[in-house]
Structure formats: structure tokens, C-alpha cells
């Protein structure tokens, strides 16, 4: 006889609850299940998670709400519940007593696979999605390093969702009130307004040229109501007891008579010793105050800083630490971002100053302006709220660079919580690291850059987009050499897709450009058709914010084009056999279908090429990705024999500017 007893002292902490082994195959040979005692402490919620096993809870004591997907059930002693494979679940104990259970779990792969087949990725696409990117600081033009971060990747998601029939909108803009802009103007002997206008216009033109469409473009300098809206939102934040005005020591340049903050300050990070400006370290992502930098100097004149007292509006970030943890627990968050934020929370969040002594930005009176990063956060909330009022609720996905993690995953949520605007926070964060040119970061000041406009003029938007998505810095630093940057049209997918599509000229000549109806099917035909549908589902999965991967998407497109080329190579021989005329019709119909599928799946990556193929096939509007692919109608006449040839630069997707 083997016995086990519920023993709190023998439990360990896992899944954010207490667990104790019960019985498994390790104890009893051939036992087809495992089991544990579990206890969720009072006023605690267990970790939200999923696994391939089926699982059953038997409640021993206490009461709690068990959540499975969108379902919630309160359970008490004697209740039993079943949790299906791959269902995200958690236990929420809002009571003063622990919730004690027995968990029995087992692996049955056919059941797990059946669950996946019944819930394709497309079913998880939101009906409406707002895709957001941090506004670009208009202190210079865009280089490939800029574009490789959020902007092209966000446009890729928007196009993929729209091609699947979902309402997707993209919002970004220019960060006109940023301190980097003010310092750039001082160093150039110009004015912030002049720099922001000229550089901002160029940035918008570059985004348009690379095919990044923007539905809501925020530019504070051209928005006369921006200041009033930001001050109104700041008033909501100031109503929080966590905000107070007090005097603190701040860095100051006596020669320039400037309060040194953010881009006005230069030194080394006190945490990692990397070169840094004030308030954030780009290398480690940690926040800092300018006065904390080692070797602190004024960025404008190089004078060593002094410390003086300044009155300011300070936000106690730690007052919202628990709410921030809860918000991030239920948000889709990239691993690198979660690691940074959890470390910051464990160390204790520093207070944040909401105003600055400066003459640039949203004027707050008394020689002070709204902090540039607080301005960005409030502008984000303002745009999200306006989008919801205009078009209804949406899932909000935020693309951002890892160096901005603190501002968008800590400061933004805390400001929203303080202002009572949590409903407008991102549901998912998609981060990127840096794209390096060779072994070093892109640098405008050192001229170590490949400018986006130059690359677009040389290679065209499709080749530029493809290169940036193939080498997207997702979860890691990636590199592009100057040699490769000068030969973007030699990308393997770019060449293979053009070669395969140019091959339709032969089919066009043989059949006068008319698409045949299907005839007799072979096993090879069936499996190729299955492949078209399965690949679509795989690519759909890579568009989900929780699993988004531009690199993985491009890799699968590579394989797709190779598979289509192989299908043609093997089928061409059979098409010349008279007795296989019926099979040849099916083969040709599948080839034209593959072109249709390619146009829809490639549109997020190479929109110019995709739109040419779509038009060549006589299909209206923008490319549409179907859940199960339908053939082109028999008798469809293709307009031209070479859909791969470019005739003009790709426009922004219709309806966007």
C-alpha cells in the first residue's frame, strides 16, 4: 500500500501556488496519470499558464474562482472541474482562507492535437486591433536601424490582419517635444520648431516611401489642441495621492544656464557604466536621474555639471507597483521586457519627475514644461481613447525598442493607473533590440549609417522591407554588413520569388493566360493543396502578438516559394503527356492558386510585388488571405505574363497616409 498525506510543510512554490507531489508513474509503474496536492494562499492568484495535458481539479477546502480562457467558475469543497489541453487557466482566491486541491493530470496527444486543430491561429485575431509604435524623434533622418525596429514590423502585422479580414489600424507620429530635439536645435544653431518641421516632414515621407501606412499620425507641433489635452490628462494624474510637488537636487549647467535632464545630460550609467544620457540607459534599459550619472557633463558645452535644488512635480511610482505587476501578469509581454520590468519592480521603482525646467514642450507655467516622456505616455493614452471613441474597443498592441522599455512598460502604465485610464493600455508588447551596421550600432553623429532614403532609391521598398524583416532584431542584436546593405535585391527570397513568378510567362504563352478549371487529381496535387492551407495557418500563427516573428515569417515564405518552384518542376513533365490532360488542368489550376496564395501571404512583407501579382490575377482590392483557399474561377484571364516586374514604387495601403 502506498499512501500520501496533504502536508503544507512539504510543499514547494511553483506556478505561484504551493505544490506537493502525490502519486505518479515514478511511484507506481504504469500509472497513466500524475497528481499533486495544491494550495493557493488567501488573496492570491496562481500563474496563468497552459500545457498539453488534460487536468482535473478536486477541491478539498476553501473557495476560489477557476478561470479557463474566458470562462470563470467559483468552486468549493467537493467540486471537480476538468481543464482541456492548451487552455490558459489560473486560480483566483479572493478569500481569507487557502484554496486546497488535488490536481490529476495526464497526457493524451490525440486530444491535445485535436484542440489545436479546432482553434487555428486566425480564430485568435481580434476583430479590431490598434497597432502602435513610439513616435519618431524628428532630430534627423531615418536610417535602416530605425526602420528595423518597430515600424516595418508593425506595418507587417497591420497588413496581415487586414488581409485576414480584420479591422487593423496603425498609429505613430513624431515626438516633437523631446529633449533630443531641443539639444539638436541648440547644437545646430537652429530652433526646435524648424528642426522638428523639416526632419518630421522627411520622416513621414520616408515611412510612406517604404510602404509603412499610418492611420493616425500624431504631430504635436501641428496639433493646436495637443497642449490643452495633455494638461487635462496631467490634471487627472495630479489628482492621485501618489503625486506631490517637492524640492529635490537636480543637475545644472551654470555656463548654459540649463537644467540638465535627458538629452541635455551626458555621462555614464551608474548601473552598467555604458555611455548614457539622463533618465534612461539605452544599454541596460534602467532608469536614472541625470545627477546619478558618473562623469556628468552638459551635452551642449561639455561643462561639468553642478547640483542645485529644484522644485518639481514627482510621481511615487512604487505606489502603483502591485497594480503594475497585475497589469503585466495578464498582458502579453516579450521575455526581455518582462525580465527588465520584474527586476525593476523587485528593486523598487524610483520616483519620476513629471515636469522639467525648460522652455521646450507643453507649457505648464513658471518656466516649466511637461516631461517629454510623460508627454508621450499621455499622448498615447489620448490617441487610444480617441480611437476607441471613434471606432469602438480594440486590442492594443505596442511595438517598441527595448531601450524604451521603462517608459512604455512602467511609466505609461503607472500614469494610466494614476489617471484612471487603464482600459487604454496595451494588451500586448512586441519588442526589438538593435540592428547593428557591422559590429557597431548605427550612429547618426558618427556617420555610421545606411540612410533609408538612399537604400530605397537603390533597391526599392520591397527589397528594403524584406532585408529588415529577415534580420529583424527580435530578442537579440542582429547585424547587417555595408556590403549586404548595398545589395539588398540579392536576397534569396527576393530572387527566388521573381524567378518563380517570371516563369508564369511560359504558362501564359501556352494557355493564352487563361486559368483552367481543375480536372483529375493525383496524390501529389492533393498534398500540394494541403500544403497551401497548412502554410497559411503557420504564417497566421506568426502574426499573433504573443508569437509574432518577422524572421520566422520570412523563413516560411522562403520555404513556400521553394516548394512552389519544386511543384512546377515536377509537374511540367506530366503536362506534356497527352493521356494526363485532365491531371494537367488540375496542376495548372494549382499553380495559379499558388500565385494567389503567395500574393496574400507576401503582402505584409513585399507589398509592391504582392499587389502586382494580385492585380495580374484579375483580383480586386488588396490581397486577401483565406482560411481555406478557393481556386480562381475557370476562364480567368491574367492581364500580363510577368507579374514580378515592378512598374512603380509601392504606395501606402489604401485608406492610410
Amino acid at each position: 500500500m502506498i499512501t500520501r498525506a496533504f502536508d503544507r510543510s512539504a510543499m514547494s512554490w511553483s506556478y505561484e501556488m504551493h505544490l506537493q507531489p502525490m502519486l505518479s508513474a515514478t511511484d507506481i509503474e504504469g500509472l497513466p496519470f500524475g497528481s499533486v496536492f495544491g494550495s493557493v494562499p488567501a488573496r492570491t492568484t496562481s500563474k496563468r499558464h497552459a500545457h498539453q495535458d488534460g487536468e482535473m481539479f478536486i477541491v478539498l477546502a476553501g473557495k476560489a474562482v477557476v478561470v479557463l480562457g474566458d470562462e470563470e467558475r467559483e468552486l468549493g469543497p467537493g467540486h471537480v472541474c476538468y481543464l482541456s489541453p492548451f487552455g490558459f487557466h489560473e486560480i483566483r482566491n479572493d478569500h481569507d482562507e487557502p484554496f486546497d486541491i488535488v490536481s490529476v493530470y495526464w497526457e493524451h496527444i490525440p486530444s491535445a492535437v485535436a484542440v489545436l486543430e479546432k482553434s487555428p491561429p486566425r480564430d485568435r485575431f481580434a476583430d479590431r486591433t490598434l497597432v502602435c509604435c513610439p513616435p519618431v524623434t524628428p532630430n534627423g533622418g531615418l536610417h535602416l536601424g530605425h526602420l528595423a525596429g518597430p515600424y516595418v514590423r508593425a506595418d507587417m502585422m497591420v497588413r496581415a490582419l487586414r488581409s485576414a479580414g480584420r479591422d487593423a489600424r496603425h498609429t505613430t507620429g513624431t515626438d516633437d517635444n523631446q529633449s533630443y530635439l531641443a539639444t539638436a536645435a541648440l547644437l545646430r544653431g537652429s530652433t526646435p520648431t524648424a528642426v522638428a518641421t523639416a526632419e518630421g516632414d522627411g520622416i513621414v515621407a520616408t515611412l510612406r516611401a517604404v510602404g509603412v501606412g499610418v492611420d493616425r499620425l500624431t504631430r504635436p507641433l501641428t496639433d493646436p489642441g495637443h497642449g490643452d489635452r495633455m494638461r487635462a490628462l496631467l490634471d487627472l494624474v495630479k489628482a492621485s495621492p501618489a503625486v506631490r510637488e517637492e524640492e529635490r537636487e537636480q543637475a545644472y549647467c551654470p555656463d548654459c544656464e540649463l537644467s540638465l535632464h535627458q538629452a541635455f545630460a551626458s555621462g555614464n550609467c551608474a548601473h552598467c557604466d555604458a555611455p548614457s544620457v539622463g533618465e534612461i540607459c539605452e544599454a541596460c534599459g534602467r532608469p536614472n536621474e541625470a545627477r546619478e550619472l558618473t562623469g556628468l557633463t552638459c551635452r551642449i558645452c561639455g561643462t561639468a555639471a553642478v547640483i542645485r535644488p529644484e522644485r518639481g512635480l514627482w510621481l511615487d511610482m512604487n505606489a502603483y507597483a502591485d497594480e503594475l505587476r497585475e497589469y503585466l501578469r495578464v498582458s502579453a509581454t516579450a521575455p526581455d521586457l518582462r525580465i527588465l520590468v520584474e527586476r525593476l519592480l523587485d528593486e523598487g521603482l524610483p520616483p519620476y519627475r513629471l515636469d522639467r525646467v525648460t522652455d521646450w514642450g507643453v507649457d505648464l507655467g513658471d518656466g516649466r514644461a511637461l516631461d517629454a516622456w510623460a508627454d508621450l505616455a499621455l499622448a498615447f493614452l489620448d490617441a487610444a481613447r480617441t480611437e476607441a471613441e471613434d471606432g469602438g474597443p480594440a486590442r492594443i498592441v505596442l511595438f517598441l525598442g527595448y531601450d524604451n522599455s521603462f517608459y512604455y512598460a512602467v511609466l505609461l502604465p503607472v500614469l494610466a493607473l494614476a489617471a484612471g485610464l487603464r482600459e487604454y493600455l496595451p494588451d500586448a508588447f512586441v519588442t526589438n533590440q538593435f540592428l547593428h551596421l557591422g559590429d557597431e550600432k548605427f550612429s547618426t553623429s558618427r556617420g555610421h549609417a545606411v540612410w533609408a532614403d538612399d537604400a530605397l532609391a537603390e533597391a526599392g521598398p520591397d527589397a528594403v522591407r524584406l532585408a529588415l524583416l529577415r534580420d529583424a532584431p527580435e530578442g537579440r542584436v542582429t547585424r547587417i554588413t555595408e556590403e549586404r546593405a548595398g545589395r539588398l535585391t540579392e536576397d534569396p527570397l527576393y530572387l527566388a520569388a521573381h524567378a518563380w513568378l517570371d516563369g508564369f510567362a511560359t504558362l501564359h504563352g501556352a494557355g493564352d493566360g487563361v486559368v483552367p478549371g481543375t480536372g483529375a487529381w493525383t496524390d501529389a496535387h492533393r498534398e500540394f493543396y494541403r500544403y497551401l492551407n497548412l502554410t497559411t495557418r503557420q504564417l497566421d500563427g506568426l502574426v499573433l502578438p504573443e508569437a509574432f516573428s518577422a524572421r520566422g515569417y520570412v523563413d516560411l515564405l522562403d520555404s513556400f516559394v521553394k516548394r512552389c518552384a519544386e511543384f512546377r518542376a515536377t509537374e511540367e513533365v506530366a503536362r506534356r503527356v497527352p493521356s494526363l490532360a485532365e491531371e494537367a488542368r488540375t496542376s495548372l489550376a494549382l499553380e495559379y492558386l499558388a500565385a494567389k496564395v503567395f500574393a496574400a501571404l507576401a503582402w505584409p512583407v513585399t507589398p509592391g510585388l504582392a499587389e502586382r501579382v494580385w492585380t495580374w490575377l484579375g483580383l480586386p482590392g488588396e490581397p486577401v488571405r483565406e482560411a481555406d483557399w478557393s481556386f480562381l474561377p475557370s476562364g480567368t484571364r491574367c492581364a500580363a505574363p510577368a507579374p514580378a516586374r515592378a512598374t512603380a514604387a509601392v504606395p501606402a495601403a489604401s485608406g492610410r497616409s
Side-chain angles (χ1 to χ4, degrees):
M1 180 182 293
I2 300 174
T3 63
R4 293 287 188 270
F6 187 97
D7 183 357
R8 295 192 193 280
S9 66
M11 290 182 163
S12 59
W13 187 254
S14 185
Y15 293 100
E16 297 175 22
M17 60 185 293
H18 297 294
L19 294 177
Q20 173 195 352
M22 191 173 163
L23 293 172
S24 69
T26 303
D27 308 296
I28 304 171
E29 185 176 356
L31 190 70
F33 58 83
S35 58
V36 295
F37 292 113
S39 181
V40 180
R43 305 294 173 181
T44 301
T45 300
S46 69
K47 180 177 181 178
R48 182 176 182 269
H49 67 284
H51 36 63
Q52 87 278 11
D53 300 323
E55 187 171 16
M56 180 171 62
F57 290 164
I58 304 171
V59 183
L60 302 178
K63 289 185 177 182
V65 173
V66 176
V67 182
L68 176 65
D70 296 329
E71 288 186 89
E72 295 188 4
R73 301 282 178 85
E74 185 173 62
L75 305 181
H79 283 138
V80 177
C81 72
Y82 164 69
L83 307 175
S84 57
F86 294 115
F88 279 91
H89 55 275
E90 64 185 16
I91 302 171
R92 188 172 68 241
N93 184 0
D94 296 327
H95 299 279
D96 294 327
E97 301 296 329
F99 181 67
D100 299 333
I101 63 171
V102 168
S103 168
V104 180
Y105 54 90
W106 60 94
E107 182 180 84
H108 184 245
I109 293 301
S111 297
V113 172
V115 168
L116 293 180
E117 290 179 346
K118 291 177 182 177
S119 57
R122 182 175 303 216
D123 287 355
R124 295 182 59 196
F125 291 171
D127 291 337
R128 189 167 189 266
T129 301
L130 182 63
V131 179
C132 308
C133 284
V136 188
T137 302
N139 61 342
L142 295 178
H143 51 60
L144 294 188
H146 292 130
L147 291 180
Y151 305 103
V152 174
R153 293 164 64 239
D155 184 76
M156 173 186 156
M157 174 179 283
V158 170
R159 289 178 184 272
L161 292 174
R162 290 179 65 187
S163 68
R166 302 304 195 269
D167 181 6
R169 288 174 58 81
H170 185 192
T171 177
T172 188
T174 55
D175 184 10
D176 297 345
N177 292 326
Q178 185 56 256
S179 60
Y180 293 89
L181 175 64
T183 56
L186 285 172
L187 292 169
R188 296 180 194 181
S190 182
T191 66
T193 299
V195 173
T197 300
E199 300 291 4
D201 289 347
I203 286 166
V204 172
T206 300
L207 291 175
R208 184 180 296 116
V210 80
V212 174
V214 181
D215 298 290
R216 180 176 293 277
L217 183 70
T218 59
R219 298 189 69 180
L221 285 185
T222 62
D223 179 359
H226 177 81
D228 288 340
R229 297 197 307 276
M230 296 306 101
R231 284 186 285 267
L233 288 171
L234 180 62
D235 285 342
L236 295 178
V237 175
K238 289 165 62 176
S240 165
V243 177
R244 59 185 177 274
E245 186 166 329
E246 57 187 46
E247 191 172 87
R248 289 173 176 258
E249 291 187 334
Q250 298 288 285
Y252 180 74
C253 175
D255 288 3
C256 296
E257 297 183 343
L258 286 173
S259 177
L260 300 185
H261 61 278
Q262 295 162 1
F264 291 100
S266 179
N268 289 77
C269 175
H271 300 285
C272 70
D273 201 39
S276 178
V277 297
E279 274 61 62
I280 195 67
C281 176
E282 196 175 77
C284 70
R286 289 172 180 256
N288 57 62
E289 291 183 42
R291 64 181 177 81
E292 296 173 336
L293 297 176
T294 60
L296 173 61
T297 61
C298 171
R299 176 133 179 261
I300 305 303
C301 69
T303 298
V306 300
I307 303 300
R308 71 169 191 177
E310 283 184 9
R311 290 200 67 79
L313 198 62
W314 290 87
L315 169 64
D316 178 8
M317 306 273 280
N318 268 332
Y320 292 96
D322 290 342
E323 289 181 72
L324 178 60
R325 285 185 189 274
E326 174 60 22
Y327 160 66
L328 293 173
R329 187 183 71 84
V330 297
S331 302
T333 310
D336 53 0
L337 180 63
R338 184 170 291 276
I339 289 170
L340 173 64
V341 176
E342 287 185 355
R343 184 170 67 232
L344 292 175
L345 283 166
D346 289 343
E347 294 172 354
L349 297 176
Y352 193 84
R353 185 171 179 178
L354 299 176
D355 61 354
R356 301 290 175 180
V357 176
T358 179
D359 59 1
W360 185 247
V362 173
D363 184 24
L364 299 180
D366 298 325
R368 290 189 281 183
L370 180 62
D371 171 77
W373 290 102
D375 185 354
L376 275 180
L378 296 179
F380 176 97
L381 295 171
D382 178 59
R385 182 171 63 179
T386 303
E387 283 285 326
E389 291 171 350
D390 292 347
R395 185 177 195 202
I396 302 176
V397 179
L398 176 59
F399 282 73
L400 73 154
Y402 177 76
D403 54 319
N404 286 333
S405 296
F406 170 76
Y407 294 118
Y408 284 99
V410 178
L411 179 61
L412 168 63
V414 169
L415 286 172
L417 293 169
L421 298 173
R422 175 173 175 164
E423 63 190 292
Y424 303 115
L425 283 174
D427 301 286
F429 295 90
V430 182
T431 61
N432 63 268
Q433 300 277 343
F434 294 106
L435 175 70
H436 284 190
L437 181 58
D439 293 328
E440 299 179 34
K441 287 177 59 178
F442 279 77
S443 172
T444 300
S445 61
R446 292 187 290 105
H448 185 66
V450 176
W451 296 104
D453 289 345
D454 293 339
L456 288 166
E458 177 69 24
D462 279 348
V464 171
R465 290 173 64 102
L466 178 55
L468 298 179
L469 294 172
R470 180 183 293 282
D471 289 323
E474 297 171 336
R476 78 205 90 167
V477 170
T478 57
R479 291 170 174 79
I480 186 171
T481 64
E482 291 194 43
E483 179 185 12
R484 178 159 180 263
R487 304 168 66 179
L488 297 180
T489 56
E490 296 181 19
D491 180 271
L493 176 56
Y494 191 87
L495 294 174
H498 280 73
W500 171 60
L501 292 166
D502 283 341
F504 276 95
T506 302
L507 298 182
H508 188 277
D512 197 26
V514 176
V515 179
T518 59
W521 285 65
T522 67
D523 287 344
H525 296 158
R526 182 193 63 216
E527 294 310 314
F528 184 65
Y529 180 67
R530 191 204 306 270
Y531 172 80
L532 298 180
N533 288 292
L534 289 176
T535 300
T536 302
R537 288 175 174 78
Q538 288 180 300
L539 289 170
D540 284 349
L542 294 174
V543 174
L544 289 169
E546 297 86 349
F548 184 85
S549 175
R551 296 168 65 96
Y553 198 102
V554 170
D555 286 344
L556 271 179
L557 275 184
D558 269 333
S559 299
F560 178 86
V561 172
K562 290 176 183 176
R563 179 74 175 86
C564 291
E566 285 298 315
F567 179 79
R568 174 182 293 164
T570 56
E571 290 291 314
E572 280 181 329
V573 177
R575 292 171 191 163
R576 295 196 292 267
V577 179
S579 61
L580 297 179
E582 292 78 12
E583 286 81 359
R585 291 206 310 274
T586 302
S587 174
L588 289 169
L590 282 167
E591 277 238 46
Y592 282 104
L593 174 60
K596 173 185 173 182
V597 175
F598 171 80
L601 300 182
W603 190 54
V605 177
T606 54
L609 176 59
E611 288 170 9
R612 290 194 297 276
V613 175
W614 194 256
T615 300
W616 171 71
L617 292 171
L619 297 168
E622 297 171 345
V624 175
R625 57 205 295 151
E626 300 173 15
D628 299 295
W629 287 101
S630 60
F631 285 86
L632 290 165
S634 174
T636 297
R637 185 178 296 276
C638 296
R645 295 175 189 167
T647 56
V650 61
S654 63
R656 299 188 288 168
S657 60

